[in-house]
Amino acid sequence: MSETKPFGNGAKFYNMTMVVAEDGRVLVLDRIKTDWPGLTFPGGRVEKGESFAASAIREIYEETGLTVSSVLPCGTVHWADKETGHRYIEFLYKATDFKGEISAGTSEGKVFWMNPDDLKSSARLSPNFDLYLPVFFGEFTELFFEWDGKSWDGVPQYF
């Protein structure tokens, strides 16, 4: 994930949304940026003064070209720095009500529809994204990691 300055309490807030078509396919971003490359869902940083849901709707539009009228919460992923206590908190959403045609892609990467089973078994997932999928698909509502503040690996804890 890109480096951003934490909010006053040492937390960084992000969002990610699983956009689901009527036929059950999900909208996937083949992210090309080096900080989190591979297959993932649209998402990004919550801007100062922006609600979590509004940030998700904005990110979907910016990365896919689709206009989403609402998002439904799926759960939360958060990482806690063992030394500083800083938090990286990601709000996960699902969207089924959208308009428009997907874009050919942006500086983030190419977007396309994919069968969920094909996504789950893909060898091209972004780092740790496989750990997010049980939350998106309703098996859990929270994923928590403790981390060392440098690498994004840790022991996942689901709730």
Side-chain angles (χ1 to χ4, degrees):
M1 297 292 163
S2 61
E3 279 298 310
T4 58
K5 195 172 187 179
F7 290 93
N9 63 356
K12 296 178 185 180
F13 298 105
Y14 290 83
N15 64 72
M16 186 180 290
T17 304
M18 178 175 67
V19 180
V20 183
E22 285 184 17
D23 63 6
R25 293 180 300 156
V26 294
L27 191 60
V28 176
L29 171 64
D30 189 357
R31 190 170 156 85
I32 57 176
K33 289 190 171 184
T34 58
D35 59 347
W36 215 50
L39 301 179
T40 186
F41 293 142
R45 181 179 41 170
V46 177
E47 301 292 342
K48 191 172 185 176
E50 185 177 44
S51 76
F52 300 128
S55 72
I57 291 168
R58 175 185 51 77
E59 288 286 348
I60 293 166
Y61 180 75
E62 289 176 0
E63 295 181 4
T64 73
L66 295 180
T67 301
V68 172
S69 60
S70 65
V71 291
L72 300 170
C74 291
T76 306
V77 175
H78 58 112
W79 304 75
D81 186 316
K82 294 178 190 180
E83 295 179 21
T84 67
H86 289 146
R87 296 287 181 125
Y88 172 97
I89 303 168
E90 196 162 7
F91 295 91
L92 307 185
Y93 294 98
K94 178 179 179 180
T96 57
D97 187 15
F98 54 87
K99 294 180 182 172
E101 298 292 323
I102 59 172
S103 66
T106 67
S107 62
E108 298 277 340
K110 181 181 171 187
V111 291
F112 53 92
W113 296 102
M114 193 171 191
N115 176 293
D117 290 334
D118 294 338
L119 175 64
K120 291 175 187 178
S121 64
S122 176
R124 298 204 55 253
L125 298 178
S126 292
N128 295 319
F129 186 58
D130 60 320
L131 301 174
Y132 286 46
L133 294 176
V135 179
F136 276 113
F137 289 104
E139 295 174 49
F140 302 98
T141 58
E142 181 180 343
L143 171 58
F144 174 75
F145 291 86
E146 284 189 300
W147 62 302
D148 64 8
K150 298 175 187 130
S151 63
W152 288 101
D153 56 353
V155 177
Q157 299 174 50
Y158 290 100
F159 300 94

